[in-house]
């Protein structure tokens, strides 16, 4: 039962600002994903929480107590790194039990806890093996068990499945989510995979250039991005510049509501929020490319001025390459000065 609060936490490496001072509150049992492009400060933030990096300023409060200057081994945290870093000369049991041995637990107690941890990650019969006798996925499970056995208040994971193939990654991610829920352990999970974040997080923290761009549930982040960065970073998005006059803007022959003062604005439209209806007079957009993605079609259509529209429809909607259509937009967001100022939802 633990909360994690970050207060004005910042980090500079010499002149490089890796993290602008930021604040965040993570609830008991919550799984938070830090999501952002390379260099946005995700690992730095995680390492500060784990004690592997000292912040330049700010607090790391675990259940109200500031641990910002406490060494990692004295914190109630445990971290799973991207590369598993198991000790190759030790058995799986030895690896998992090592931390408990350091804590001075008795042999029988260690054996029982190691056994429970192995069962938790689905490796009940693997205790006597050495890391070299395991697959990459199994090794990463051992790394997770090694953390869980310490019964940390906060579990930290830095791209734990990055080295695994897609299929295994999907499976392990689901398993980790199940275990995390079962134990109710407060977790911070770093990824630059948006699918990963959208599928397991209670809330996503989108980061860019050492700053938090937006914090929200996966649905909020996907449906209501608050900045153009988030809109463009998560999923496919049409980002269209247009001039607003008298409460609306035109992009080609598409009219978009925008009850904001006149002037230039940025419009974000998801491909699945666009429907194409046949154009009889050759106006609208021309379909350049149709790609089959299982049950959906991903369509690229071009306006007369060269502007591209990404459109996604169900497979049974008839669309022909080379033909012209009118795009109809059911949902869009209007940005001004890098902030969302208006949104239109489907009626
Ligand atoms: N020890 C260091 N010394 C100097 N600069 C550093 C150090 N560690 C990180 N940085 C810088 O801090 C910034 C944030 O790095 P960080 O590793 O946190 O990014 P990240 O979001 O984890 O990226 P990635 O997705 O590539 O892992 C980068 O500009 C990086 O170059
Ligand atoms: Mg990183």
């Amino acid at each position: 039962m633990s909360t994690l609060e970050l207060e004005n936490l910042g980090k500079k490496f010499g002149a490089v600002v890796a993290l602008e001072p930021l604040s965040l509150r993570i609830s008991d049992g919550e799984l938070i994903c830090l999501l952002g492009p390379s260099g946005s400060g995700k690992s730095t933030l995680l390492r500060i929480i784990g004690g592997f990096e000292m912040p330049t300023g700010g607090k790391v409060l675990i259940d109200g107590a500031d641990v910002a200057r406490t060494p990692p081994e004295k914190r109630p945290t445990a971290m799973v790194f991207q590369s598993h870093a198991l000790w190759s000369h030790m058995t799986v049991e030895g690896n998992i039990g090592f931390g408990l041995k350091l804590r001075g637990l008795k042999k029988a107690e260690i054996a029982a806890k190691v056994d429970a941890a192995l069962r938790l990650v689905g490796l009940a019969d693997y205790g006597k093996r050495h890391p070299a006798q395991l697959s990459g996925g199994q090794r990463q499970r051992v790394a997770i068990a090694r953390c869980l056995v310490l019964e940390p208040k906060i579990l930290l994971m830095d791209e734990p499945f990055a080295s695994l193939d897609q299929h295994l990654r999907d499976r392990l991610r689901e398993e980790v989510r199940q275990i995390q829920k079962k134990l109710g352990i407060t977790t911070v999970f770093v990824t630059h995979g948006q699918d990963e974040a959208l599928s397991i997080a209670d809330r996503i923290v989108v980061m860019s250039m050492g700053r938090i761009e937006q914090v929200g549930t996966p649905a909020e982040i996907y449906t209501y991005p608050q900045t153009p960065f988030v809109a463009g970073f998560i999923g496919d998005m049409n980002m269209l510049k247009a001039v607003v006059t008298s409460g609306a803007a035109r992009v080609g022959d598409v009219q978009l509501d925008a009850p904001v003062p006149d002037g230039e604005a940025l419009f974000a439209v998801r491909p699945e929020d666009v429907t194409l209806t046949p154009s009889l007079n050759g106006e609208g957009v021309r379909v350049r490319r149709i790609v089959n993605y299982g049950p959906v079609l991903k369509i690229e259509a071009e306006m007369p001025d060269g502007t591209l529209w990404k459109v996604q429809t169900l497979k049974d909607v008839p669309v022909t390459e080379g033909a012209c259509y009118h795009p109809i937009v059911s949902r869009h967001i209007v940005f001004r000065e890098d902030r969302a100022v208006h949104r239109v939802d489907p009626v």
Side-chain angles (χ1 to χ4, degrees):
M1 300 295 277
S2 292
T3 58
L4 173 63
E5 284 166 273
L6 311 177
E7 265 182 35
N8 298 317
L9 207 58
K11 178 69 182 174
K12 286 184 197 162
F13 292 103
V16 179
V17 180
L19 283 182
E20 304 269 3
L22 57 82
S23 297
L24 182 66
R25 190 175 188 287
I26 301 171
S27 308
D28 180 43
E30 204 177 11
L31 191 157
I32 288 279
C33 274
L34 304 181
L35 176 66
S38 191
S40 55
K42 309 180 293 295
S43 294
T44 302
L45 182 53
L46 200 74
R47 292 169 59 79
I48 291 175
I49 300 170
F52 301 97
E53 208 78 74
M54 200 65 107
T56 311
K59 291 183 182 168
V60 177
L61 301 162
I62 297 177
D63 293 332
D66 186 12
V67 297
R69 269 122 204 116
T70 309
E73 68 278 7
K74 297 237 164 69
R75 294 188 188 196
T77 53
M79 183 142 159
V80 181
F81 295 88
Q82 180 168 340
S83 56
H84 9 77
L86 300 177
W87 292 290
S88 56
H89 63 286
M90 278 187 209
T91 60
V92 166
E93 284 175 354
N95 267 281
I96 298 174
F98 190 72
L100 298 175
K101 213 166 142 185
L102 285 186
R103 287 186 183 175
L105 267 70
K106 295 206 176 66
K107 258 191 175 168
E109 219 175 337
I110 296 178
K113 283 185 189 277
V114 168
D115 192 53
L118 277 171
R119 269 186 279 117
L120 199 58
V121 298
L123 290 179
D125 301 323
Y126 290 74
K128 302 285 183 249
R129 292 204 195 181
H130 279 82
Q133 297 166 308
L134 301 175
S135 71
Q138 289 165 341
R139 266 180 241 158
Q140 205 55 327
R141 281 186 203 174
V142 175
I144 293 166
R146 193 170 58 175
C147 283
L148 292 176
V149 82
L150 299 171
E151 295 166 19
K153 288 183 171 178
I154 313 280
L155 181 63
L156 307 170
M157 306 180 100
D158 196 352
E159 310 215 28
F161 310 133
S163 60
L164 306 175
D165 70 50
Q166 174 83 46
H167 182 70
L168 192 53
R169 194 156 61 217
D170 292 353
R171 215 174 78 200
L172 271 182
R173 178 206 295 156
E174 257 329 292
E175 283 179 20
V176 161
R177 178 57 160 157
Q178 294 311 325
I179 292 172
Q180 183 268 338
K181 269 192 185 160
K182 190 166 142 192
L183 303 179
I185 187 168
T186 310
T187 302
V188 186
F189 188 110
V190 166
T191 177
H192 58 244
Q194 42 170 295
D195 293 343
E196 193 150 83
L198 290 169
S199 65
I200 63 166
D202 289 312
R203 282 187 304 156
I204 297 175
V205 175
V206 184
M207 297 183 64
S208 162
M209 300 195 295
R211 283 182 296 111
I212 292 180
E213 284 276 329
Q214 186 172 350
V215 182
T217 63
E220 285 164 355
I221 296 275
Y222 187 84
T223 315
Y224 305 124
Q226 282 161 14
T227 66
F229 174 84
V230 177
F233 187 69
I234 313 279
D236 277 341
M237 189 71 100
N238 294 289
M239 301 293 278
L240 308 152
K241 258 194 195 148
V243 177
V244 176
T245 30
S246 313
R250 292 189 77 79
V251 177
D253 69 340
V254 182
Q255 178 156 324
L256 297 166
D257 287 348
V260 298
D262 287 0
E264 198 166 80
L266 192 60
F267 292 80
V269 182
R270 290 268 179 223
E272 64 267 30
D273 294 329
V274 184
T275 15
L276 298 177
T277 58
S279 156
L280 303 175
N281 55 8
E283 282 176 8
V285 296
R286 189 176 294 277
V287 169
R288 292 295 178 205
R289 219 163 92 86
I290 303 175
V291 183
N292 234 310
Y293 268 87
V296 298
L297 300 177
K298 292 198 176 190
I299 298 162
E300 217 172 79
E302 193 181 357
M303 291 195 314
D305 70 356
T307 305
L308 286 180
W309 282 78
K310 285 176 273 186
V311 180
Q312 185 175 306
T313 68
L314 290 175
K315 209 172 198 164
D316 48 14
V317 177
V319 179
T320 318
E321 258 176 45
C324 286
Y325 297 86
H326 290 295
I328 296 171
V329 173
S330 59
R331 181 202 297 272
H332 68 265
I333 300 168
V334 186
F335 296 98
R336 269 273 165 82
E337 316 276 322
D338 277 353
R339 299 300 304 174
V341 288
H342 181 73
R343 67 175 201 245
V344 171
D345 285 321
V347 279

